[in-house]
Amino acid sequence: MKVIPIGLSLIASQVSGFTILALPSDSYVFGANSLWMCVAISIVCPLASYIYLPVIMKLKTPSIFGYLELRFNRTVKIMASCIYILQMLLFNPVVAYTPAIAFSQATGINTHIVTSTMCIVCIFYTTIGGFKAVVWTDVLQIGGILASVTAVFGLGVAAVGGFDAVFTKASRGQRFDFNFSIDPTKRDGFWQVLLGCTTVWVYNVNFYPVAVQKYLSVPALSNAKRVVLLQCLGLVFVHFLSILTGIIIYARYEGCDPIQNGDVDRADQILPYFAVDVSRNIPGLPGIFIAGLFSAALSTLSATFNALAATIHSDLIAPFLSNDVLRRREGHILRSIVVIAGSICIISALFVDRLGSLMAFINGSVGVTCGLFVGLFSLGMVFPMAHSKGALWGIVSGFAVVGTITIVNQWYTLHGITNNFAKPLSVELCETPINITQPSDIHQPEQPFVLFRLSFWYNSVMSALIVTLVGLCVSWCSKNDRPWVDPDLISPIFKFLLVQRDMNGNSLDMYTIASSYDTDKYHFEDSQS
């Protein structure tokens, strides 16, 4: 494949309906601190090109988790594959649900009917067309995504009265009050977003199986680096416009909040309501916006279904089947996995509306697994001393500790026990007077332990740190168990940390290596072996 279609396909796959719908609603309620996401994505681009991508491009397996078997062992690979499958089974229903919110807001059709129909369409063309169908439909869908985002942004600015009016009203409403506090219990801020988002996007750009599949479809490392650059530029553009759109929405409804006014039921519906409002006199434009949302959702769903099929097949099924059965049944197995994953997505989407804020849920729950993978792959590519025992203890510890924190935090959030951190909203200028009664006896619930009040942005950071630190400690304590490490599995920047060992595990200095390379005294293997 060529660089441009793969780059555009990756942008479409990474930009889901969640990005277009949840980011504006989040900045509308909580302010513009999410803009630091654009800085985080910009940091990830060079990290990907010079640390991780040179190792990834040497892989010739359909699943990124094949690296873990080469670097550690099969147990670590299977555990990572199972965590990824769990991550996608949590993420896909949210992706499918987000455009249904917009379509339901515009037409009144039940969201569950819309979600089921979209999933069936996506399952159909993914099973029929395979990888190339996913790529070329992504290229077409990115046009719908960009058209909807830019159209709503431009019309919003015009409806408010220009950029000066937007800035004045947003500043008056505290939407540009950026938080630089190091307090980890604050929901949003420079450090929270920068650290958390950088960790998440290190995973999304480098280790996300959807992205790795597409990197391996271009001819060389230099092409893959150009794909990463194109991808990061597109992601920064879409995220920047989406977050600012939320600020524009606040400026539009500064004195009459549609949520408190009863025009929408929840914050995630604010963007569809706004899009229909500002384009009321332009025929077809609400349809373009909704088409853009569906394009984003379909591109992400098809890519994740395809990657799920490749991961489950290569990591969990293929090792237990003979080559003859694989040759005859491979296509049927892959299609069956896509159908089953899609069916689970349809059923799970029935419960998404009970999760509260989509932004907090996705970044909290999926952030845990992103951090686990960043820690695990960094352990393999950056630290040659790490071995399978350390990796296994690291991923188990990270999943247990941060997973528990995330579940308890989500429970407290859904029950309204943690702080809200929402910026002020007003209904003073609504045409119909709104009476918002405050309870006479306001009982402030006791705040939970500080670990359960941490910003959801830190979930990915904590899980990455725990995997790395526990993995290094266990590897150091059991250093006599260190096997020989293939240099091709270590990032070029960190190969200076590599200590060559003979077949008995004894350290070799460079003189010994040079003098014995052509003899049978020591055992060396190249990357092909």
Side-chain angles (χ1 to χ4, degrees):
M1 299 293 291
K2 302 293 184 183
V3 169
I4 292 179
I6 289 296
L8 294 177
S9 174
L10 271 172
I11 296 170
S13 299
Q14 301 277 22
V15 175
S16 63
F18 159 77
T19 308
I20 298 176
L21 201 64
L23 281 180
S25 65
D26 190 78
S27 59
Y28 172 80
V29 176
F30 297 102
N33 276 293
S34 297
L35 280 173
W36 301 117
M37 295 174 70
C38 300
V39 178
I41 296 172
S42 303
I43 293 172
V44 168
C45 185
L47 290 178
S49 297
Y50 295 102
I51 296 179
Y52 301 109
L53 207 56
V55 179
I56 292 170
M57 289 302 293
K58 293 178 182 177
L59 298 176
K60 297 302 177 186
T61 62
S63 168
I64 178 64
F65 303 114
Y67 169 85
L68 298 176
E69 184 173 7
L70 295 173
R71 178 64 178 86
F72 299 120
N73 59 27
R74 180 169 293 182
T75 304
V76 175
K77 181 190 79 168
I78 292 176
M79 181 172 289
S81 299
C82 291
I83 291 174
Y84 167 71
I85 293 167
L86 175 63
Q87 176 195 28
M88 288 298 99
L89 293 180
L90 287 173
F91 180 63
N92 283 344
V94 178
V95 172
Y97 181 75
T98 45
I101 296 174
F103 198 76
S104 177
Q105 182 71 28
T107 63
I109 298 176
N110 187 279
T111 55
H112 301 314
I113 297 175
V114 179
T115 301
S116 302
T117 305
M118 185 182 65
C119 287
I120 292 169
V121 171
C122 188
I123 292 168
F124 175 76
Y125 79 74
T126 304
T127 54
I128 297 299
F131 180 78
K132 284 197 173 182
V134 169
V135 171
W136 287 110
T137 50
D138 284 350
V139 172
L140 294 175
Q141 287 159 350
I142 191 64
I145 294 170
L146 295 177
S148 65
V149 170
T150 52
V152 172
F153 178 83
L155 284 173
V157 172
V160 174
F163 287 105
D164 289 341
V166 170
F167 183 80
T168 301
K169 293 181 178 182
S171 299
R172 194 160 55 219
Q174 303 176 23
R175 264 47 186 185
F176 285 127
D177 288 358
F178 292 110
N179 170 33
F180 291 92
S181 169
I182 60 174
D183 182 357
T185 62
K186 299 289 186 183
R187 183 185 188 274
D188 296 314
F190 173 78
W191 295 109
Q192 290 90 328
V193 176
L194 186 67
L195 295 175
C197 198
T198 298
T199 307
V200 169
W201 280 101
V202 165
Y203 165 76
N204 286 340
V205 172
N206 295 284
F207 312 125
Y208 188 29
V210 171
V212 173
Q213 274 189 325
K214 294 176 181 179
Y215 295 147
L216 296 177
S217 70
V218 297
L221 176 60
S222 58
N223 300 97
K225 288 181 178 180
R226 287 197 286 272
V227 169
V228 169
L229 178 61
L230 178 59
Q231 177 188 192
C232 289
L233 290 174
L235 289 172
V236 168
F237 175 76
V238 173
H239 281 73
F240 183 77
L241 285 193
S242 296
I243 294 166
L244 284 188
T245 297
I247 303 302
I248 293 168
I249 296 173
Y250 172 77
R252 170 76 171 177
Y253 303 119
E254 182 190 20
C256 187
D257 171 38
I259 303 172
Q260 298 183 62
N261 195 34
D263 296 321
V264 297
D265 296 327
R266 50 187 288 167
D268 297 315
Q269 295 175 323
I270 194 71
L271 181 62
Y273 175 82
F274 172 75
V276 172
D277 182 25
V278 297
S279 61
R280 198 180 303 276
N281 299 322
I282 306 177
L285 199 59
I288 291 176
F289 165 71
I290 293 174
L293 277 176
F294 276 100
S295 294
L298 284 169
S299 62
T300 303
L301 278 178
S302 62
T304 54
F305 286 158
N306 196 67
L308 264 176
T311 301
I312 294 173
H313 175 266
S314 63
D315 295 348
L316 304 181
I317 296 177
F320 304 101
L321 298 178
S322 65
N323 291 332
D324 181 58
V325 173
L326 284 176
R327 280 194 299 270
R328 289 187 291 108
R329 299 294 182 185
E330 186 174 44
H332 296 293
I333 294 171
L334 290 169
R335 293 186 184 97
S336 299
I337 295 171
V338 171
V339 172
I340 293 170
S343 302
I344 294 173
C345 179
I346 293 172
I347 296 170
S348 302
L350 301 175
F351 306 98
V352 172
D353 55 353
R354 304 178 186 180
L355 295 176
S357 170
L358 295 182
M359 180 80 168
F361 173 75
I362 287 295
N363 283 289
S365 59
V366 176
V368 176
T369 54
C370 291
L372 291 175
F373 291 133
V374 170
L376 188 59
F377 283 99
S378 297
L379 203 62
M381 296 183 186
V382 175
F383 302 100
M385 67 169 287
H387 55 64
S388 58
K389 189 181 293 183
L392 192 60
W393 276 102
I395 196 168
V396 169
S397 303
F399 188 75
V401 173
V402 187
T404 302
I405 292 173
T406 302
I407 292 171
V408 176
N409 178 280
Q410 185 70 17
W411 187 88
Y412 280 130
T413 301
L414 290 177
H415 287 78
I417 297 176
T418 56
N419 290 327
N420 191 348
F421 295 109
K423 302 292 185 183
L425 295 167
S426 172
V427 290
E428 293 179 357
L429 301 181
C430 291
E431 294 181 1
T432 304
I434 305 295
N435 293 321
I436 302 176
T437 59
Q438 297 291 340
S440 55
D441 182 21
I442 300 177
H443 174 66
Q444 185 69 26
E446 184 179 351
Q447 290 295 295
F449 182 60
V450 65
L451 277 179
F452 306 124
R453 290 186 284 119
L454 294 177
S455 170
F456 59 81
W457 291 107
Y458 284 125
N459 289 349
S460 59
V461 182
M462 287 189 296
S463 54
L465 286 175
I466 290 174
V467 172
T468 305
L469 294 177
V470 172
L472 289 175
C473 288
V474 173
S475 298
W476 176 259
C477 293
S478 54
K479 54 187 176 183
N480 292 329
D481 298 336
R482 294 181 203 167
W484 176 82
V485 178
D486 186 343
D488 283 344
L489 301 177
I490 304 298
S491 175
I493 296 178
F494 295 96
K495 281 187 179 179
F496 71 93
L497 298 173
L498 189 64
V499 177
Q500 293 288 354
R501 297 177 181 275
D502 65 17
M503 61 189 300
N504 297 318
N506 299 315
S507 300
L508 301 174
D509 57 27
M510 295 309 295
Y511 174 77
T512 308
I513 293 171
S515 62
S516 62
Y517 189 84
D518 295 327
T519 71
D520 294 329
K521 184 177 179 181
Y522 297 102
H523 175 66
F524 293 90
E525 294 180 356
D526 59 21
S527 59
Q528 295 302 316
S529 301

